[in-house]
Amino acid sequence: MITIRKNQERGLSSHDWLDSRHTFSFAGYYDPDWVGFASLRVINDDHVAPGAGFSPHPHKNMEIISYVLEGDLRHEDSMGNRALIRAGEVQRISAGSGIVHSEYNASTTQPVHFLQIWIEPNVLGGNPAYAQRSFDAAIKQGHLCPIVSPNGRDGSLSIQQDALLYAALLETGEHVKYALSPGRRAYVQIVRGKVKVDGAELSAGDGAGIRTETTVGITALAPSELLLFDLR
């Protein structure tokens, strides 16, 4: 079974410095049909104006993943981390017992575009942790590259949840297939381009929740970038 989440149906927060699309209920946006999907709680598609950003704010008991698409994102947190996350890099914060952090567009002239993803942890509390890693285009080209996993396998970033996140870049006509174990669910988010997911055509910003299937088949109808979540 596949449930489509179209880009234009997502929640919208629009300010003079931020344009954000919410796949799931978030802050002042609430949709009872889209509160989350398995342990996946947030996919925010954020465009932040030059020099602007999110001032220091707290998080607790959440696995937070930032996937930067364009521009540079500046990060500071209460753990003492100060970092620049560039396009092609992925950041993971395990908030654990609690952190405070800020995120700003590092440029005064160009916007920054990134996806912020929250996954609920399977363990509450604990010491907060931070990591970031570059996943260049070559290792994502033509196949599903693991970027987040429970055990940090194959160079991915580790999180405290039985969840995997893959990224792929596909040229027109390229096809990938992913096998789902019994009881698992998948969520596919289209970052750029246009694809067909198990017969359904999806464009940039669209997503699809997949249940009770054994495989997920994805074919690019144009040069595309996508994320695939494998969730319990």
Side-chain angles (χ1 to χ4, degrees):
M1 185 176 76
I2 181 168
T3 305
I4 305 301
R5 180 62 154 160
K6 300 297 288 184
N7 177 39
Q8 64 269 24
E9 296 171 350
R10 297 191 292 176
L12 173 64
S13 295
S14 186
H15 308 280
D16 57 355
W17 63 275
L18 171 68
D19 182 275
S20 181
R21 292 278 180 178
H22 311 307
T23 295
F24 304 109
S25 297
F26 183 83
Y29 167 68
Y30 178 70
D31 182 337
D33 294 328
W34 291 95
V35 175
F37 187 85
S39 58
L40 178 58
R41 182 62 186 81
V42 167
I43 301 177
N44 285 348
D45 193 339
D46 292 338
H47 292 79
V48 180
F54 302 91
S55 59
H57 57 280
H59 289 285
K60 187 176 182 180
N61 293 322
M62 195 64 70
E63 302 295 302
I64 302 167
I65 301 154
S66 295
Y67 186 90
V68 180
L69 299 165
E70 296 172 327
D72 298 330
L73 185 67
R74 188 174 302 282
H75 165 91
E76 295 188 10
D77 64 45
S78 55
M79 293 179 280
N81 297 298
R82 282 158 179 74
L84 195 66
I85 305 100
R86 302 182 183 277
E89 294 187 327
V90 181
Q91 176 202 69
R92 182 271 292 151
I93 300 170
S94 292
S97 59
I99 63 157
V100 174
H101 79 140
S102 63
E103 300 156 299
Y104 283 93
N105 186 344
S107 172
T108 58
T109 59
Q110 300 296 320
V112 63
H113 179 200
F114 71 106
L115 299 182
Q116 184 162 119
I117 297 157
W118 296 4
I119 296 176
E120 296 172 346
N122 55 16
V123 178
L124 300 181
N127 294 326
Y130 178 93
Q132 74 181 75
R133 193 160 297 160
S134 177
F135 296 89
D136 63 34
I139 64 172
K140 296 183 284 188
Q141 189 64 55
H143 74 283
L144 292 161
C145 169
I147 61 173
V148 170
S149 69
N151 54 10
R153 73 180 202 189
D154 300 324
S156 61
L157 298 170
S158 62
I159 60 168
Q160 297 186 77
Q161 181 53 269
D162 184 7
L164 299 102
L165 173 56
Y166 299 83
L169 295 169
L170 302 177
E171 293 299 325
T172 304
E174 283 192 305
H175 178 81
V176 291
K177 181 179 286 188
Y178 185 80
L180 275 176
S181 298
R184 306 287 295 189
R185 288 167 277 184
Y187 194 90
V188 179
Q189 181 67 36
I190 312 309
V191 178
R192 292 186 260 240
K194 186 176 183 180
V195 304
K196 185 174 285 189
V197 179
D198 290 343
E201 290 192 7
L202 302 176
S203 298
D206 295 345
I210 299 159
R211 304 173 178 86
T212 65
E213 301 291 338
T214 57
T215 59
V216 181
I218 304 169
T219 302
L221 304 177
S224 300
E225 182 172 5
L226 62 95
L227 300 178
L228 184 147
F229 299 82
D230 178 339
L231 308 158
R232 181 175 294 281

